[in-house]
């Protein structure tokens, strides 16, 4: 949906009071209504005019897939130019409702383990297109139960947030504004493959979101093999950017680390990782690999993940293992590829 100022202009031109804009935004953000017809407080002729001239959503849901356990829903959206993206709504055991947003229609970074990286039709999303994924998923949640709220938002869908920096930040500012969702930035996480200038810019934003850095290897050579972007932003420089970021903001940074069988999951890898992640302002999130069918990469066994975790803990690293949802509908991390 458009920012409130846009509605103000439209309403003035249509000879309507400004408070109608607040009514529209309240209906959308608080009640989860996503079509003007159902905003009954608006006069009928205004609803019709809005429908014609100011479409409420900048994207259209094309397809929805729900996982077998009913806890994950993946939505495929088409954008105004016909390109498509996916977003995911997840319900966790502890009652949290988390959503995963896309910020680009593909990704040029081509990490070897990620399906999004194989999509060639690439463009960055506008802030409105990112925001509208939330609008739509919020409406899905409210349709289940009007009292439910989105508790966490992660920028971990398709694309690299720091390759679309300004639109990502604009969408977050809009989500957090009390005019719209009034969402807490502390419940928002941006995940980056390690674009250093983005980390440096974020440190200056006064925006207390969580930063997650996709590390996946604690060794420059290995990292380059699985993440080509590591050549441009070497591990050592990345680590010092992360350190500066957490010192400047006082915020904890998490390292994401996909567990790849016989690639990055040995005792020696655990030692290397511990040596760079042993810091109270750092946290390691081990991610079980979600199969993408792309290449010969495979995930570490559960027992290996457990002992890797233990090895890190013994060295004093804050470490958790990510619960992955939606694997059966290709909605898990790295599986988003418009299927
Ligand atoms: N481009 C950003 C954000 C999107 S990817 C980034 O790379 O951080 C979100 C997360 O999913 C990243 O940590 C990414 O490394 C991880 N991921 C990608 N492919 C995966 C796969 N096949 N299995 C598990 N996690 C994967
Ligand atoms: Fe792009 Fe992130 Fe996928 Fe790498 S993991 S290709 S950076 S979306």
């Amino acid at each position: 949906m458009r920012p409130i100022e846009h509605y103000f202009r439209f309403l003035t031109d249509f000879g309507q009071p400004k408070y109608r804009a607040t009514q529209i935004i309240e209906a959308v953000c608080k009640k989860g209504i996503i079509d003007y017809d159902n905003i009954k407080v608006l006069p009928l002729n205004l609803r019709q005019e809005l429908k014609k001239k100011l479409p409420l959503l900048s994207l259209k849901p094309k397809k929805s897939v729900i996982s077998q356990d009913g806890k994950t829903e993946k939505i495929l959206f088409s954008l105004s130019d016909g390109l498509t993206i996916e977003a995911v709504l997840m319900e966790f055991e502890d009652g949290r409702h988390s959503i995963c947003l896309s910020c680009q229609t593909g990704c040029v970074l081509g990490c070897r383990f990620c399906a999004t990286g194989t999509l060639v039709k690439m463009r960055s999303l506008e802030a409105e297109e990112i925001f509208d994924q939330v609008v739509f998923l919020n409406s899905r949640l409210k349709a289940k139960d009007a009292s439910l709220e989105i508790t966490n938002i992660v920028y971990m869908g398709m694309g690299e947030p720091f390759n679309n920096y300004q639109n990502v930040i604009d969408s977050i500012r809009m989500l957090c504004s009390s005019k719209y969702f009034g969402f807490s930035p502390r419940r928002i996480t941006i995940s980056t493959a390690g674009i250093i200038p983005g980390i440096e810019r974020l440190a200056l934003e006064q925006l207390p979101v969580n930063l997650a850095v996709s590390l996946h290897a604690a060794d420059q050579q290995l990292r380059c093999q699985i993440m080509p972007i590591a050549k441009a932003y070497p591990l050592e420089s990345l680590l010092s950017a992360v350190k500066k970021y957490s010192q400047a903001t006082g915020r904890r940074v998490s390292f994401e680390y996909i567990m790849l069988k016989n690639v990055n999951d040995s005792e020696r890898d655990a030692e290397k990782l511990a040596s760079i992640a042993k810091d109270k302002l750092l946290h390691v999130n081990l991610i079980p690999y979600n199969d993408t069918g792309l290449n010969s990469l495979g995930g570490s066994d559960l027992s290996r993940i457990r002992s890797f975790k233990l090895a890190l803990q013994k060295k004093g690293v804050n470490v958790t293992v990510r619960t992955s949802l939606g694997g059966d509908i290709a909605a898990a991390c790295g599986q988003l590829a418009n299927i």
Side-chain angles (χ1 to χ4, degrees), residues 47-183:
R47 278 186 252 160
Q48 286 167 341
E49 198 65 12
L50 281 163
K51 244 168 92 171
K52 266 191 273 168
K53 305 231 170 93
L54 201 61
L56 206 147
L57 288 177
S58 58
L59 32 72
K60 282 202 183 74
K62 252 178 93 174
K63 197 171 144 192
S64 146
V65 208
I66 299 177
S67 64
Q68 252 167 25
D69 63 7
K71 306 238 179 257
T72 305
E73 179 174 14
K74 179 168 83 162
I75 310 278
L76 177 72
F77 293 102
S78 64
L79 307 172
S80 57
D81 56 5
L83 288 174
T84 53
I85 51 149
E86 294 176 331
V88 186
L89 172 65
M90 290 158 283
E91 181 189 330
F92 287 93
E93 301 269 291
D94 58 6
R96 276 181 305 132
H97 287 89
S98 184
I99 61 178
C100 179
L101 306 180
S102 291
C103 64
Q104 297 184 305
T105 61
C107 186
V108 294
L109 300 188
C111 302
R112 282 193 50 214
F113 42 77
C114 173
T116 305
T118 62
L119 298 170
V120 282
K121 279 195 183 155
M122 234 296 292
R123 82 160 163 90
S124 288
L125 301 194
E126 298 295 334
E128 185 186 1
E129 292 168 324
I130 302 174
F131 183 85
D132 284 351
Q133 296 170 54
V134 183
V135 169
F136 187 82
L137 293 175
N138 180 53
S139 81
R140 295 297 276 188
L141 193 60
K142 298 278 183 207
K144 279 192 209 164
D145 177 344
S147 70
L148 295 177
E149 309 250 339
I150 293 167
T151 50
N152 301 79
I153 300 178
V154 297
Y155 284 70
M156 292 189 185
M158 297 161 61
E160 165 54 44
F162 289 160
N163 278 351
N164 185 15
Y165 187 89
Q166 202 51 54
N167 288 318
V168 162
I169 298 297
D170 289 351
S171 68
I172 294 177
R173 294 218 185 268
M174 199 164 155
L175 289 167
C176 296
S177 158
S178 57
K179 284 192 202 122
Y180 307 93
F181 287 98
F183 209 82

Side-chain angles (χ1 to χ4, degrees), residues 277-288:
K278 202 178 123 185
D279 185 318
K280 61 180 187 314
L281 281 174
L282 293 174
H283 170 262
V284 173
N285 202 359
L286 300 178
I287 310 175

